[in-house]
Amino acid sequence: MKILLIMDPGIPVPPKFYGGHERLVYLFAEEYQRMGHDVTLLAGPDSHCSGQTITFGINSLKRSGIQKLKEIFFVWKFLLKNHSEFDLIHNFGRLLYLLPIVNSASNKIMTYGRRVTPFGIRCINLLPNKNLIFTACSDFCVATGNVAGHWETVYNSIDFENYQLINQVKDDAPLLFFSRLDKIKGPHIAIDVAKRTGNKLIIAGNIPTTPDNIAYYEKMVLPHIDNEQIVYVGALNDMQKNEYLGNAKGMLFPLSGDEAFGLVMIEAMACGTPVIAFNHAAAPEVIDEGISGFIVNDIEEMTDAVGKLSSIDRTQCGNIARERFNVTSIAHKYLSLFNAK
């Protein structure tokens, strides 16, 4: 089968640091190729995969509206000319990319990894269309866009070969907070929990860039970083992620925003590290209560759950994550969608 994967420019596929969605696209490109399919990747500069790669646009998250319009026209031209060559067109980028071929016979999957804008879904479903399936990475995310069309939940995945399962850690192993240091991610809550429980906390992630979150970080996070109990280690590459995730007794995920999935949760689980998360967004779908972590409702419950981390079997935590979120199973799920129609 010939498969075309599409991703927006801005960050290369695969990314060197930040870029969870780009990492997923690469993972599926490699898996489809490994399964024996003929893969073409259409993505930003410096992208690559084991199949054919066609690059377009520029790598900048701050590129202009005119530049983004040029990118849309590039994809339209490519699809109008070549869509009939592919058995499946799997789009992780803009919905607008599919506009010229929305009513073609080509099998098309539009995949979302973040909150969906219902307006675009309604508009494209007002047009004649066929062989178009919308997917999102959690039931929570599907619910944000399921206003028209055919929707399916297909969970995200990671490359478990990049993570070492650590069966046991020391009693004084640190807690870990690993995310962008924005207010909705809750690093101030993780700091509070660490201080309440007397645990060391490792904070990893990008420092905010928006004015409101910079002010939050400087007031609520930075003053508490003493490099003794509260330690900031910066953004992490894949090797560093494996080290810090694997050597933590637990990861705190006190999210208050609309996280569509939370890849870092299964990255932690892959290392055997349980996750304590607020009962919000997709967290209840990702965490198996008492097996791979705990779902809590507030800071008091999160504090109490830290004391339960030792009851988690880290091997079982890692194994259930591998069973539920391995890339082979998720790729087969995508490829089965049209057979199931």
Side-chain angles (χ1 to χ4, degrees):
M1 184 161 65
K2 296 189 70 174
I3 301 176
L4 173 67
L5 291 116
I6 308 174
M7 184 58 195
D8 292 324
I11 299 173
V13 175
K16 294 180 180 179
F17 290 98
Y18 177 80
H21 215 47
E22 288 77 12
R23 189 169 281 106
L24 278 169
V25 173
Y26 179 74
L27 196 60
F28 290 122
E30 294 299 287
E31 183 63 19
Y32 288 151
Q33 190 78 17
R34 190 196 65 77
M35 293 166 67
H37 302 296
D38 185 356
V39 173
T40 298
L41 171 65
L42 189 61
D46 300 323
S47 297
H48 65 87
C49 71
S50 296
Q52 181 184 10
T53 302
I54 299 170
T55 61
F56 71 107
I58 61 174
N59 281 336
S60 171
L61 296 179
K62 297 180 180 179
R63 60 198 191 281
S64 68
I66 292 176
Q67 174 59 37
K68 291 178 181 179
L69 193 60
K70 290 179 181 178
E71 293 163 1
I72 292 169
F73 288 148
F74 179 94
V75 177
W76 284 357
K77 182 178 179 181
F78 178 87
L79 288 177
L80 285 169
K81 181 179 179 182
N82 301 293
H83 72 273
S84 60
E85 298 179 14
F86 299 100
D87 301 292
L88 172 64
I89 297 171
H90 193 169
N91 182 25
F92 289 82
R94 293 171 175 273
L95 176 59
L96 265 177
Y97 291 159
L98 297 179
L99 185 60
I101 61 164
V102 70
N103 200 37
S104 72
S106 303
N107 291 329
K108 299 169 286 290
I109 299 175
M110 177 66 223
T111 292
Y112 288 93
R114 57 180 62 88
R115 173 177 278 274
V116 183
T117 304
F119 177 77
I121 304 301
R122 289 191 180 97
C123 287
I124 205 158
N125 278 286
L126 289 173
L127 300 173
N129 68 84
K130 57 189 173 185
N131 297 337
L132 173 62
I133 294 177
F134 299 93
T135 72
C137 56
S138 63
D139 292 341
F140 168 79
C141 193
V142 166
T144 68
N146 192 6
V147 294
H150 176 179
W151 283 83
E152 297 280 349
T153 296
V154 184
Y155 289 130
N156 283 339
S157 182
I158 61 171
D159 186 351
F160 283 93
E161 292 185 2
N162 290 336
Y163 300 88
Q164 180 184 359
L165 199 159
I166 305 298
N167 298 319
Q168 190 172 0
V169 296
K170 297 178 180 179
D171 291 340
D172 63 350
L175 297 169
L176 177 70
F177 173 90
F178 181 25
S179 191
R180 196 172 63 250
L181 304 184
D182 290 354
K183 183 177 181 179
I184 64 169
K185 303 289 187 177
H188 65 291
I189 296 174
I191 291 169
D192 194 355
V193 170
K195 290 186 174 183
R196 289 183 183 207
T197 59
N199 281 281
K200 182 175 181 179
L201 176 69
I202 303 294
I203 297 176
N206 294 319
I207 292 175
T209 56
T210 60
D212 57 336
N213 280 304
I214 291 173
Y216 157 78
Y217 167 76
E218 291 178 345
K219 180 180 179 181
M220 302 295 292
V221 178
L222 187 58
H224 298 280
I225 296 173
D226 57 13
N227 291 321
E228 293 183 4
Q229 184 182 13
I230 312 298
V231 180
Y232 175 61
V233 296
L236 305 180
N237 59 31
D238 287 343
M239 185 178 299
Q240 291 169 323
K241 279 199 294 185
N242 191 43
E243 175 187 353
Y244 282 106
L245 288 169
N247 289 297
K249 69 170 61 176
M251 190 181 78
L252 304 182
F253 198 71
L255 178 77
S256 61
D258 291 341
E259 187 89 17
F261 185 81
L263 272 174
V264 69
M265 288 191 285
I266 55 172
E267 291 176 329
M269 295 170 192
C271 297
T273 300
V275 180
I276 307 174
F278 279 170
N279 188 9
H280 191 72
E285 298 178 58
V286 178
I287 294 173
D288 290 274
E289 182 70 20
I291 299 174
S292 57
F294 302 100
I295 297 295
V296 299
N297 294 302
D298 52 39
I299 190 169
E300 285 75 21
E301 290 187 8
M302 181 167 281
T303 301
D304 291 342
V306 170
K308 301 176 185 177
L309 288 170
S310 60
S311 69
I312 298 286
D313 183 324
R314 292 177 65 97
T315 301
Q316 187 181 23
C317 173
N319 288 343
I320 196 168
R322 284 166 170 79
E323 178 183 328
R324 293 186 61 203
F325 305 114
N326 72 84
V327 65
T328 301
S329 296
I330 303 300
H332 276 293
K333 170 73 172 178
Y334 276 124
L335 298 182
S336 71
L337 290 178
F338 284 96
N339 296 331
K341 283 183 67 178

